[in-house]
Amino acid sequence: MDKYHHTVADSKVTTDDIAVSKAVEKIIAENYESNQKPEVYKFLLSSIDLTTLNATDSPVSVSKFTEKVNSFDEEHPDLPNVAAICVYPNFAQVVRTVLDVTQVRIACVSGGFPSSQTFSEVKIAETALAVDGGADEIDIVMNLGNFLDGDWEEVCDEIAEIKHACRESRLKVILETGALKTAQNIRDASVLALYSGADFLKTSTGKGYPGASLEAAYVMCECIKEYYDKTGNKVGFKASGGVADPDDAVKYYTIVKSVLGNEWLTPELFRIGASRLFDSLVAKVLDNE
């Protein structure tokens, strides 16, 4: 057994799908209702990675998208703004030029997003170019083909090399949990990403496979907790792919709070990737003002 399989085998996080489902049901039943309150909706607003990842994106459309964030800061100075704007890497410089809100980060997908099917050298170069263009955060997809083939050394080496190309920027590793399907695969992929230098574990791309699920979130958060207990390193969690309703967002908040605790309830460690959630969350917050 190589060191990669040994590290994964060492994990005590459950891989029983039925047990995971029951744990999620219990957490939601006991805690969800009490988390449906104005301060939680405000926090969720501050945790959004506001995302545009369309084939029709252009410098003009991305500039207008960024201006939406600038305008929100002017129109609602008493409300928190989003955590980040997430775009394709060729638009990092556009966002950097237009964005006036200093606390909002610039995130870029990279590494042959969303399939991760290109040369490692291309992934590393793309990441370096995005960082040079102004990206504070990089979102990549784990190479699922190599993962499912059991070539875990290749998977981990690639993530580590991309992490090096990030320099001071933070790396989010997308597991594409809808493709992995089982708690076993999600646990194994989480452990590999964590020990390869991920600053965040992220559920999904929202492209081509089912998006985030509460069960996947639970397993990933348990892995983050175990990793923190072993190493003292705090890694963030990001739910992405189909989280468009404020009440669904509260459910992910509930999972994170229950498994990881209040220390993770900060935009530095909890994110939701969304393009549609922003407007509905703003409406929810304003309704409760």
Side-chain angles (χ1 to χ4, degrees):
M1 185 183 294
D2 62 37
K3 65 178 182 179
Y4 307 98
H5 287 79
H6 178 79
T7 300
V8 168
D10 220 26
S11 174
K12 301 299 188 289
V13 173
T14 182
T15 57
D16 184 320
D17 290 305
I18 295 174
V20 169
S21 294
K22 288 182 177 179
V24 168
E25 288 174 9
K26 186 173 188 292
I27 288 170
I28 297 302
E30 294 178 355
N31 302 289
Y32 170 60
E33 188 174 345
S34 64
N35 288 328
Q36 290 180 295
K37 49 191 178 183
E39 56 264 38
V40 172
Y41 293 115
K42 279 188 178 181
F43 168 72
L44 291 169
L45 186 60
S46 74
S47 299
I48 288 178
D49 282 1
L50 192 64
T51 303
T52 179
L53 297 171
N54 303 310
T56 54
D57 286 345
S58 69
V60 171
S61 70
V62 171
S63 294
K64 290 179 179 177
F65 188 78
T66 305
E67 286 289 4
K68 179 179 179 180
V69 173
N70 292 339
S71 298
F72 182 81
D73 215 48
E74 296 166 3
E75 294 166 9
H76 302 284
D78 54 328
L79 296 181
N81 214 318
V82 297
I85 295 174
C86 184
V87 296
Y88 282 114
N90 48 309
F91 296 118
Q93 187 61 58
V94 174
V95 180
R96 178 62 70 196
T97 301
V98 177
L99 184 62
D100 293 330
V101 189
T102 54
Q103 72 269 25
V104 174
R105 307 282 180 83
I106 299 171
C108 288
V109 295
S110 184
F113 180 93
S115 67
S116 192
Q117 297 291 3
T118 189
F119 300 102
S120 289
E121 293 84 353
V122 172
K123 298 178 184 182
I124 293 163
E126 185 178 38
T127 299
L129 288 167
V131 172
D132 285 343
D136 303 300
E137 301 172 354
I138 296 292
D139 294 38
I140 66 162
V141 181
M142 174 182 282
N143 190 314
L144 297 185
N146 287 340
F147 170 78
L148 294 170
D149 278 354
D151 191 356
W152 291 357
E153 180 175 5
E154 182 65 28
V155 170
C156 293
D157 285 351
E158 183 173 86
I159 293 172
E161 289 176 12
I162 294 172
K163 169 68 175 173
H164 181 72
C166 287
R167 303 198 292 275
E168 300 303 315
S169 298
R170 297 203 294 171
L171 178 65
K172 305 190 193 94
V173 177
I174 306 165
L175 305 185
E176 199 66 290
T177 54
L180 294 179
K181 299 179 181 177
T182 66
Q184 175 85 58
N185 282 339
I186 294 167
R187 191 281 305 269
D188 295 355
S190 295
V191 172
L192 293 176
L194 288 165
Y195 282 93
S196 299
D199 298 300
F200 262 80
L201 295 185
K202 176 178 170 183
T203 56
S204 321
T205 62
K207 309 278 188 183
Y209 292 97
S213 72
L214 296 176
E215 291 76 16
Y218 175 81
V219 174
M220 292 163 71
C221 287
E222 285 286 351
C223 290
I224 290 169
K225 181 177 185 293
E226 181 181 69
Y227 180 72
Y228 174 67
D229 290 342
K230 288 182 178 180
T231 68
N233 295 326
K234 287 184 177 178
V235 171
F237 168 79
K238 178 176 174 180
S240 187
V243 187
D245 181 85
D247 293 329
D248 285 339
V250 173
K251 291 178 182 177
Y252 287 97
Y253 171 97
T254 300
I255 295 293
V256 172
K257 182 177 181 179
S258 299
V259 176
L260 292 169
N262 290 327
E263 289 181 66
W264 262 261
L265 299 180
T266 161
E268 290 299 306
L269 291 168
F270 176 76
R271 298 284 180 85
I272 296 179
S275 56
R276 294 172 290 164
L277 180 64
F278 177 78
D279 290 334
S280 54
L281 257 182
V282 170
K284 194 87 170 178
V285 169
L286 293 177
D287 284 346
N288 286 284
E289 287 287 282

